[in-house]
Amino acid sequence: MVESKKIALSVPEAAALLSVSKSKLYEIMRQSDCDFVLQLGGRKLISRTRLEEWIDRKTQEKAG
């Protein structure tokens, strides 16, 4: 279960939050407009705020 107060999520946590597989999330992370990945050493974390902003942008693109 994803902890709601975290500001950075692991890839499995973010995938669960989005209801997508980890491989699908990695595919999304390779897109040029993906700005929610934080690289900390060899670990990739997901900025919760930037992920939510990215979702908002994608939702607006589809609506417009």
Side-chain angles (χ1 to χ4, degrees):
M1 182 174 193
V2 178
E3 187 179 315
S4 63
K5 296 184 188 232
K6 285 187 169 186
I7 60 171
L9 306 169
S10 67
V11 171
E13 290 170 331
L17 186 65
L18 293 172
S19 298
V20 299
S21 67
K22 288 188 300 184
S23 61
K24 180 63 178 176
L25 181 55
Y26 279 116
E27 181 182 321
I28 292 168
M29 290 164 59
R30 287 191 294 272
Q31 295 176 3
S32 62
D33 67 340
C34 172
D35 62 352
F36 52 79
V37 179
L38 306 169
Q39 185 74 36
L40 298 174
R43 188 167 184 207
K44 292 181 191 284
L45 294 175
I46 307 301
S47 165
R48 186 183 199 99
T49 302
R50 287 191 179 176
L51 177 60
E52 290 169 352
E53 291 168 354
W54 180 85
I55 292 168
D56 289 342
R57 284 194 311 269
K58 288 297 186 179
T59 302
Q60 289 174 3
E61 287 174 10
K62 293 216 183 241

